[in-house]
Amino acid sequence: MTDRQPSPVISVTGLGFRYPRQRDQVLTEVSFTVGATEWVGLLGPNGGGKTTLLRLLLGQLSPRAGRIDVLGGTPVRMRQRVGYVPQHASIDSSVLASVEDVVLLGRLTGSSWGPRYSVLDRELALAALEETNTAELAGRAWRTLSGGQRQRVLIARALASKADLLLLDEPTTGIDIHREKELLRLLERLNDRLPILMVSHDIALVSHHMDRALWVDRTVREIDAGTLNSDSLERFFHGERP
Ligand code: ADP
């Protein structure tokens, strides 16, 4: 963590959102916080609003009601300081870029005219590759990587941007158990200095590794630790309410 971080790092109050030309609210009366040292899971049924919530936190969508603070500012203002790690499958695998090129994208700022990188940019990209144990992949083509390698490279891209907060969207999807363990060890290490908010469908993973979990299904509720460790959470995925 850096001394630039206020606490909490995410604060959402009375958030409401619906997509343009849609009648129904996707999210309503959403209030929660994420603290500066936390690793928080977002669980919930498909269509519950997890991706929409991430997009609101990233400033890609604007709330219809309520307020979102990220790192002490609006999501749009703080965008450069939030490291977003999408699902690796969402990046086109026909991309011809090298791994280093992908990580350097983390150094692109809104004001850049085309990718012209400084020595510092390259140093930060290399440091991020080293931190995620992917330095030996730097010259490889993105499309030749496995799912687990891609996910670590996407984390490196977020770190290269000097993020103060990581948002991850189901990073373990499509990754074998061995690589998943590696990835979780990496995230555990990163959580020593960075807060993490992570969408996951894996209840065991959330209960073993994270400090707290939030249930996202049109609104957001805290899942208490006792519930998280019990089978009852399975039933929430089948319609019961936490
Ligand atoms: P989750 O990530 O939990 O599966 P989403 O945030 O993707 O949930 O979706 C929540 C709801 O918003 C769903 O009903 C979905 O159909 C709707 N939705 C998602 N994206 C759009 C969009 N671009 N336009 C209209 N409705 C959308």
Side-chain angles (χ1 to χ4, degrees), residues 29 47 51 103 106 123 129 136 138 160 177-178 189 199:
E29 285 301 316
T51 306
V103 175
E123 278 172 11
L129 284 162
E136 78 280 5
I177 188 81
H178 185 65
R189 245 184 6 251
V199 174

Side-chain angles (χ1 to χ4, degrees), residues 40-65:
V40 177
L42 290 180
L43 288 163
N46 279 336
K50 298 179 295 300
T51 306
T52 303
L53 182 58
L54 285 188
R55 293 184 66 197
L56 284 156
L57 293 170
L58 289 163
Q60 295 172 358
L61 299 172
S62 304
R64 297 247 165 184

Side-chain angles (χ1 to χ4, degrees), residues 39-231:
W39 182 358
V40 177
L42 290 180
L43 288 163
N46 279 336
K50 298 179 295 300
T51 306
T52 303
L53 182 58
L54 285 188
R55 293 184 66 197
L56 284 156
L57 293 170
L58 289 163
Q60 295 172 358
L61 299 172
S62 304
R64 297 247 165 184
R67 181 188 167 98
I68 305 178
D69 276 294
V70 174
L71 298 163
T74 64
V76 170
R77 201 156 72 80
M78 292 297 139
R79 197 178 274 163
Q80 298 294 336
R81 290 178 49 197
V82 178
Y84 173 53
V85 183
Q87 292 188 22
H88 69 82
S90 68
I91 310 271
D92 187 353
S93 54
S94 66
V95 166
L96 290 173
S98 72
V99 165
E100 189 188 18
D101 293 335
V102 171
V103 175
L104 276 166
L105 288 175
R107 299 300 310 153
L108 277 186
T109 61
S111 58
S112 288
W113 289 91
R116 222 173 276 143
Y117 300 112
S118 67
V119 172
L120 176 67
D121 289 334
R122 290 188 188 278
E123 278 172 11
L124 287 169
L126 183 62
L129 284 162
E130 274 164 5
E131 189 165 14
T132 54
N133 291 331
T134 49
E136 78 280 5
L137 304 175
R140 288 261 301 270
W142 165 262
R143 62 186 156 74
T144 65
L145 303 190
S146 71
Q149 288 170 329
R150 284 181 186 190
Q151 204 65 62
R152 279 187 292 146
V153 169
L154 291 176
I155 293 171
R157 182 178 69 170
L159 296 177
S161 73
K162 298 294 279 170
D164 288 317
L165 165 69
L166 288 183
L167 302 185
L168 295 99
D169 192 359
E170 295 197 64
T172 59
T173 303
I175 292 177
D176 70 56
I177 188 81
H178 185 65
R179 301 291 166 220
E180 177 178 315
K181 281 193 177 140
E182 241 171 47
L183 192 65
L184 291 169
R185 273 200 299 274
L186 168 63
L187 291 172
E188 240 157 41
R189 245 184 6 251
L190 292 175
N191 185 229
D192 288 342
R193 65 179 176 86
L194 286 170
I196 300 177
L197 183 66
M198 172 171 148
V199 174
S200 175
H201 274 117
D202 188 333
I203 296 165
L205 183 159
V206 172
S207 67
H208 285 135
H209 294 274
M210 303 189 199
D211 301 305
R212 281 164 57 219
L214 301 170
W215 183 260
V216 186
D217 187 8
R218 212 160 159 263
T219 191
V220 171
R221 295 161 201 236
E222 187 88 28
I223 304 174
D224 70 53
T227 307
L228 193 57
N229 291 320
S230 75
D231 294 341

